Amino acid sequence: MDSAVSELLENENEGQLQAWQTDRSRAPIATKIVVAGGFGVGKTTLVTAVSEITPLQTEALMTQASADTDDLTATPGKTTTTVAMDFGRITLDDDLVLYLFGTPGQQRFWFMWDDLVRGAIGAVVLADTRRLSDCFPALDYFESCGLPYIVAVNHFDGSEKFEVADVREALTVPPHIPVLIMDARQRISVVESLLALVGHALDVTPE
């Protein structure tokens, strides 16, 4: 996985095109990944940070009408929210293309999850240590549908740092599920998380 990250950075620095972009006879391996988690946990930030194309966003301004349902205590500066999905793309390891679909976090939009998850090989569940309970619905959802997933703890400025083992215990995440500490604003951190998910998905569904 480290070599794939290094190669990605080298290609970006040199402005190189991927093999499938110059040789149309080599079709890329297209893979769908879902990014889920609670409201304001960093899903849109993650997709934006890593996408090699201008990401598709369905952001809407937050109004007073949502004041009773959207808790802004941990994210007081948040003025918009995803109402359908975020979409981005990143090419990894020469010809592996990941299509990223970020889900809306609020409960009133959960009805869209089944459509967004269809065809995905796995999911990244983002967690905020200041409000871990917000990611329980996503964990329950992926456990129930059997989709491979990892937990990525998005560290926010000013929040207390916890060890991976502590987060795993607090969320009661099974031992075989990867739990990572990451920063959704940092491209390399997001790439490492995506590679961890791909590796985990291959381990549990090698076919």
Side-chain angles (χ1 to χ4, degrees):
M1 293 300 180
D2 290 341
S3 61
V5 174
S6 299
E7 182 177 350
L8 174 66
L9 292 176
E10 289 176 2
N11 289 341
E12 285 186 338
N13 292 335
E14 297 174 6
Q16 294 181 359
L17 295 175
Q18 301 296 330
W20 65 269
Q21 293 173 307
T22 57
D23 182 0
R24 294 305 177 182
S25 66
R26 296 183 57 177
I29 301 171
T31 301
K32 180 179 181 180
I33 285 177
V34 173
V35 182
F39 169 71
V41 78
K43 300 180 293 296
T44 299
T45 300
L46 183 151
V47 174
T48 301
V50 79
S51 180
E52 63 195 15
I53 62 173
T54 300
L56 168 66
Q57 299 176 347
T58 56
E59 293 281 293
L61 285 173
M62 300 182 64
T63 66
Q64 190 61 33
S66 66
D68 294 335
T69 56
D70 297 333
D71 184 3
L72 295 176
T73 304
T75 55
K78 187 172 179 60
T79 59
T80 62
T81 186
T82 300
V83 295
M85 68 173 183
D86 298 307
F87 173 77
R89 185 192 74 194
I90 179 173
T91 303
L92 299 175
D93 199 17
D94 191 28
D95 56 2
L96 172 62
V97 180
L98 304 183
Y99 292 100
L100 309 178
F101 289 78
T103 66
Q106 297 98 317
Q107 183 175 358
R108 59 186 179 277
F109 298 126
W110 289 353
F111 69 91
M112 292 184 284
W113 282 26
D114 288 342
D115 290 332
L116 291 176
V117 167
R118 188 173 294 114
I121 67 160
V124 176
V125 177
L126 284 181
D128 180 350
T129 56
R130 299 169 298 179
R131 45 201 174 100
L132 282 177
S133 60
D134 286 1
C135 69
F136 280 131
L139 295 176
D140 292 341
Y141 179 88
F142 296 123
E143 282 286 352
S144 65
C145 70
L147 188 71
Y149 68 91
I150 67 170
V151 176
V153 179
N154 187 18
H155 178 65
F156 286 80
D157 293 337
S159 63
E160 185 176 354
K161 293 185 178 180
F162 292 90
E163 297 296 328
V164 166
D166 296 329
V167 175
R168 182 184 297 278
E169 181 179 359
L171 295 176
T172 62
V173 176
H176 69 282
I177 302 295
V179 178
L180 312 170
I181 307 295
M182 55 89 72
D183 188 334
R185 300 167 300 181
Q186 301 297 324
R187 181 178 176 84
I188 188 63
S189 182
V190 175
V191 169
E192 290 173 346
S193 298
L194 294 176
L195 288 172
L197 172 60
V198 172
H200 175 62
L202 288 175
D203 288 341
V204 298
T205 55
E207 67 276 5

